[in-house]
């Protein structure tokens, strides 16, 4: 009789154990609800991201062959022959080197200005913060093509209202046009990067600032020793986005072709890819795209690893 009475609570305890409850909840996962919410994203991600990447890779493995001089062109599998041609293409690599030089100078200047403006907006010494926040961000609302056209007219000696300057310094010459484009990119994207950094500054607890002020720290000391180290993740994020954007530079130099003969059809890697596909040589252009994507990934990943190691050392 005693064994019967003790076995019932034991079974109840086993049934009501946390592990059984977790397993029961795991078995009742609403698969239909997950499919409804995740399904549209998955379909769009596959259709507009994975499928184009797969198609580009497949296209880069094909070569065009002709039967005779005037025979019909047919695409056949060529292995890595298109990639060999990419690495032998001096024009493509010259454009890559050009945008790398562009990024080495332009990205630090742009992020430095973005950090400075974010610190000014977060400073209690600045008046009219709403006006300046809007003024710094407004250029980002201007499309890149419109911004390039506007600055192209400002650079042109015949059309610029600053002809006293543009008549003496040819901003559209081969020596200056790259940095003229850098000025346009900086003008457009400083506000965007500033908002990312400024959002991080707003999330910092004010108790830290109050403790620093009690210790006698001024605004410059607080900015240098507290704010800048705490916004480091935002600086890393904006740097990675800027690296990717630099290697994908297209709209601004393409627009500047109407103002300067120094900007050729192969001035940047994306312009080289577009010009190659228009020949038409779509397979070679696809191979260039894949190589450029891998180069972008390697540079971004290397930058993240370096910044992570330095952050761990600090």
């Amino acid at each position: 009789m005693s064994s019967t009475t003790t076995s019932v609570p034991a079974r109840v305890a086993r049934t009501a154990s946390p592990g059984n409850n977790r397993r029961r909840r795991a078995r009742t996962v609403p698969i239909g609800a997950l499919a409804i919410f995740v399904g549209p994203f998955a379909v769009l991600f596959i259709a507009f991201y994975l499928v184009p990447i797969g198609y580009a890779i497949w296209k880069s493995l094909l070569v065009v062959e002709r039967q005779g001089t005037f025979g019909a062109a047919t695409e056949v599998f060529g292995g890595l022959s298109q990639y060999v041609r990419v690495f032998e293409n001096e024009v493509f690599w010259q454009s890559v080197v050009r945008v790398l030089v562009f990024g080495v100078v332009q990205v630090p200047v742009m992020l430095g200005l973005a950090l400075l403006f974010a610190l000014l907006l977060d400073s209690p010494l600045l008046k009219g913060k709403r006006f300046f926040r809007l003024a710094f961000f407004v250029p980002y609302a201007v499309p890149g093509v419109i911004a390039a056209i506007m600055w192209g007219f400002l650079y042109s000696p015949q059309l610029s209202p600053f002809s006293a300057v543009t008549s003496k310094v040819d901003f559209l010459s081969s020596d200056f046009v790259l940095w003229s484009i850098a000025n346009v990119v900086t003008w457009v994207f400083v506000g965007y990067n500033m908002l990312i950094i400024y959002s991080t500054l707003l999330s910092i607890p004010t108790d830290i600032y109050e403790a620093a002020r009690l210790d006698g720290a001024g605004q410059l000391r607080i900015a240098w020793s507290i704010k800048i180290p705490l916004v480091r993740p935002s600086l890393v994020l904006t740097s990675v986005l800027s690296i990717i954007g630099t290697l994908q530079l297209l709209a601004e130099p393409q627009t500047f072709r109407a103002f300067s003969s120094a900007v050729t059809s192969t001035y940047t890697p994306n312009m080289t890819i577009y010009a190659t596909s228009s020949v038409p040589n779509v397979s070679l252009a696809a191979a260039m795209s894949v190589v450029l994507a891998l180069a972008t990934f390697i540079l971004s990943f290397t930058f993240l690893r370096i910044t992570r190691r330095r952050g761990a050392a600090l």
Side-chain angles (χ1 to χ4, degrees), residues 15 20 22 33 54 77 125 134 168 180 195 216 225 255 311:
T15 304
N20 291 334
R22 285 195 294 269
F77 182 77
L125 304 178
L134 180 62
K168 297 179 180 178
S180 299
L195 280 186
S225 300
T255 306

Side-chain angles (χ1 to χ4, degrees), residues 52-53 55-60 83 86 92 273 283-296:
I53 290 176
Y55 179 75
I57 294 174
W58 166 248
K59 201 71 176 177
S60 67
Y83 291 94
V86 171
F92 175 74
I273 293 170
S283 296
L284 181 58
M288 290 180 178
S289 300
V290 174
V291 172
L292 182 62
L294 291 176
T296 305

Side-chain angles (χ1 to χ4, degrees), residues 8-237:
V8 174
R11 288 196 300 271
V12 173
R14 287 194 299 270
T15 304
S17 64
N20 291 334
N21 291 336
R22 285 195 294 269
R23 285 194 294 270
R24 183 177 299 173
R25 286 195 296 267
R27 286 195 297 269
T28 59
V29 173
I31 303 299
L34 288 177
I36 291 174
F37 286 105
V38 180
F41 166 77
V43 171
L44 294 175
F45 181 77
I46 294 172
F48 295 100
Y49 190 79
L50 295 183
V51 171
I53 290 176
Y55 179 75
I57 294 174
W58 166 248
K59 201 71 176 177
S60 67
L61 300 176
L62 303 178
V63 294
V64 176
E65 290 185 353
R66 293 180 180 273
Q67 296 293 334
T69 306
F70 302 101
T74 57
E75 290 185 333
V76 297
F77 182 77
L80 300 178
S81 59
Q82 297 289 7
Y83 291 94
V84 174
R85 295 181 61 188
V86 171
F87 285 99
E88 293 176 349
N89 193 316
E90 295 183 1
V91 175
F92 175 74
W93 292 109
Q94 286 174 359
S95 66
V96 172
V97 172
R98 185 177 294 112
V99 295
L100 289 178
V101 173
F102 173 95
V104 167
V105 177
Q106 186 268 336
V107 171
V109 172
M110 178 179 63
L111 296 185
L113 290 174
L115 177 62
L116 175 62
F117 293 158
L119 292 173
L120 287 175
L121 290 177
D122 194 59
S123 172
L125 304 178
L126 182 66
K127 306 300 181 182
K129 292 184 179 181
R130 291 185 178 179
F131 169 77
F132 285 105
R133 183 167 62 241
L134 180 62
F136 293 152
F137 183 74
V138 160
Y140 180 68
V142 179
V145 175
I146 303 300
I149 293 174
M150 181 183 69
W151 279 97
F153 281 116
L154 292 177
Y155 290 142
S156 178
Q158 295 80 15
L159 303 173
S160 175
F162 310 103
S163 57
V165 177
T166 56
S167 60
K168 297 179 180 178
V169 180
D170 189 1
F171 292 99
L172 299 176
S173 64
S174 58
D175 296 329
F176 291 100
V177 69
L178 182 64
W179 311 118
S180 299
I181 296 172
N183 177 63
V184 178
V185 176
T186 302
W187 182 78
V188 172
F189 287 98
V190 160
Y192 170 78
N193 293 294
M194 178 207 68
L195 280 186
I196 296 177
I197 300 171
Y198 182 58
S199 300
T200 305
L201 287 172
L202 293 178
S203 65
I204 299 175
T206 57
D207 297 342
I208 300 177
Y209 302 148
E210 293 176 0
R213 282 191 290 268
L214 289 175
D215 290 337
Q219 292 299 323
L220 289 177
R221 184 65 176 177
I222 291 174
W224 181 260
S225 300
I226 297 177
K227 293 183 179 181
I228 294 179
L230 290 178
V231 299
R232 182 177 172 274
S234 295
L235 291 174
V236 173
L237 172 63

